[in-house]
Amino acid sequence: MRVGVLDIGSNTVHLLVVDAHRGAQPLPAFSHKAELRLAEHLHDGDTLSPEGERGLRKFIEDALRIAEDKGVEDVMAFATSAVREAVNGEKVLTALRAATGVDVRVLSGPEEARLTFLAVRRWFGWSSGRLLVLDIGGGSLEIASGMEEAPDVAVSLPLGAGRLTRRWFTADPPPAKEVRALRKHVRAEIGRVVGDVVRYGRADHAVATSKTFRQLARIAGAAPSAEGAYVRRTLSKDDLSRWAERLVSMTHAERAALPGVSAGRAPQLAAGVIVADATMDLFDLSSLEICPWALREGVILRRLDMMPGA
């Protein structure tokens, strides 16, 4: 069947149309997205602004028309940290449901981690052993580890690249004092959960998903996305550490000129590399493999698993 997945993230809102069948890998058929940056529209005590709400409604209306044109039978919609943390999030989604008929499910941080873990497990299979999965989003960092399709532990921390950029940096490039302060904060936050994750056992295979990790791997020499999903891409700790110092001292424009970095994501990359570097260091990881599947694929797979006859 052809399904549409509507992903309402902190930075980007994305409609992914896939051909999906139980027991088969979901095959992307069409993609439509926009950088609405909803997290930047949280004002006055984390209230989503009218402008942000209008932008979201327009995107959903456009996405529904596109989905119909593409022959989509079912649209699954979910939202992550920006809507989850908006004090008027439920009110906004109720209004959207009334206007568009779309029922948006708000995922908790641990749910994001578990669904992303499911996608990574299906991509790499059982031979990968115990997985450690890391995902840096716009609003949060998700960490999950386990031997099965459901992780033993799933953690979400408020360490998204967009969130940290807005709250900690005041200039382009950020002053060294702010970089040091953010680095200390990030390492303290991650350090609190390392013991909870590793007590289940050391990972046989450490994996990263998300735009931030993909960009960092590309900067460090990984193959471009044009070479396809099946090309193996890795990010070593040595390469990341070298780039961590360079990226925080670059301007937005200088980062945007690097391979694989978009102008819209460049401002967040300094905070993103601080989180990535801290995570690899505190979990004592020499390298990460980049997985092309993440949260959206996890949502699709879970839906297929729950279909009658599964």
Side-chain angles (χ1 to χ4, degrees), residues 27 53 114 190 200 206 213 300:
L27 297 175
E53 184 176 356
R114 286 192 289 269
I190 296 172
Y200 290 96
F213 274 117
I300 295 167

Side-chain angles (χ1 to χ4, degrees), residues 134-137 208-215 290-291 293-294:
L134 310 174
D135 187 326
I136 303 172
T209 70
S210 78
K211 188 70 170 179
T212 295
F213 274 117
R214 287 198 299 271
Q215 287 180 333
I290 308 301
C291 181
W293 280 7

Side-chain angles (χ1 to χ4, degrees), residues 64 70 79 90 112 116 141 154 165 201 209 279 281-282 290:
L64 290 176
K70 298 298 178 182
E90 186 174 342
E112 286 189 56
T116 301
L141 163 68
T165 300
T209 70
T279 307
D281 191 15
L282 291 170
I290 308 301

Side-chain angles (χ1 to χ4, degrees), residues 38-288:
L38 292 179
E40 296 180 9
H41 290 282
L42 295 179
H43 306 303
D44 302 325
D46 287 337
T47 298
L48 185 63
S49 69
E51 181 185 359
E53 184 176 356
R54 285 193 297 271
L56 179 56
R57 176 174 172 174
K58 183 180 184 307
F59 182 91
I60 291 177
E61 290 171 343
D62 292 344
L64 290 176
R65 284 193 290 270
I66 291 170
E68 181 178 340
D69 289 344
K70 298 298 178 182
V72 169
E73 300 174 51
D74 183 26
V75 174
M76 300 173 283
F78 66 89
T80 56
S81 63
V83 175
R84 181 169 69 234
E85 295 173 11
V87 296
N88 62 335
E90 186 174 342
K91 181 180 178 182
V92 168
L93 295 183
T94 298
L96 284 172
R97 188 183 306 116
T100 66
V102 173
D103 190 7
V104 179
R105 177 186 173 196
V106 179
L107 300 178
S108 69
E111 281 182 298
E112 286 189 56
R114 286 192 289 269
L115 288 166
T116 301
F117 185 91
L118 171 63
V120 173
R121 171 60 76 191
R122 295 280 178 92
W123 181 268
F124 287 109
W126 298 111
S127 63
S128 56
R130 174 170 291 279
L131 285 171
L132 174 66
V133 178
L134 310 174
D135 187 326
I136 303 172
S140 57
L141 163 68
E142 273 69 53
I143 304 169
S145 177
M147 286 289 294
E148 311 294 340
E149 289 202 334
D152 297 320
V153 58
V155 178
S156 180
L157 300 174
L159 298 177
R163 178 200 298 270
L164 297 179
T165 300
R166 291 188 301 275
R167 296 187 178 183
W168 288 82
F169 292 161
T170 62
D172 174 28
K177 182 179 180 180
E178 293 178 358
V179 171
R180 287 194 301 271
L182 177 57
R183 185 179 184 276
K184 180 179 179 180
H185 169 74
V186 165
R187 286 174 176 259
E189 289 289 307
I190 296 172
R192 292 190 185 102
V193 304
V194 170
D196 294 333
V197 176
V198 302
R199 70 186 176 93
Y200 290 96
R202 184 169 178 81
D204 299 305
H205 197 175
V207 178
T209 70
S210 78
K211 188 70 170 179
T212 295
F213 274 117
R214 287 198 299 271
Q215 287 180 333
L216 292 171
R218 179 72 185 97
I219 291 169
S225 58
E227 293 191 17
Y230 298 108
V231 175
R232 187 171 186 263
R233 296 172 175 87
T234 61
L235 175 62
S236 75
K237 180 62 171 65
D238 289 342
D239 285 341
L240 181 62
S241 295
R242 283 193 290 270
W243 276 102
E245 299 219 357
R246 295 179 60 184
L247 287 169
V248 296
S249 64
M250 289 180 170
T251 65
H252 299 169
E254 288 170 336
R255 290 185 217 123
L258 296 171
V261 180
S262 66
R265 295 275 183 166
Q268 303 180 11
L269 200 55
V273 76
I274 289 172
V275 176
D277 186 54
T279 307
M280 291 192 73
D281 191 15
L282 291 170
F283 281 98
D284 191 24
L285 303 173
S286 60
S287 67
L288 289 165

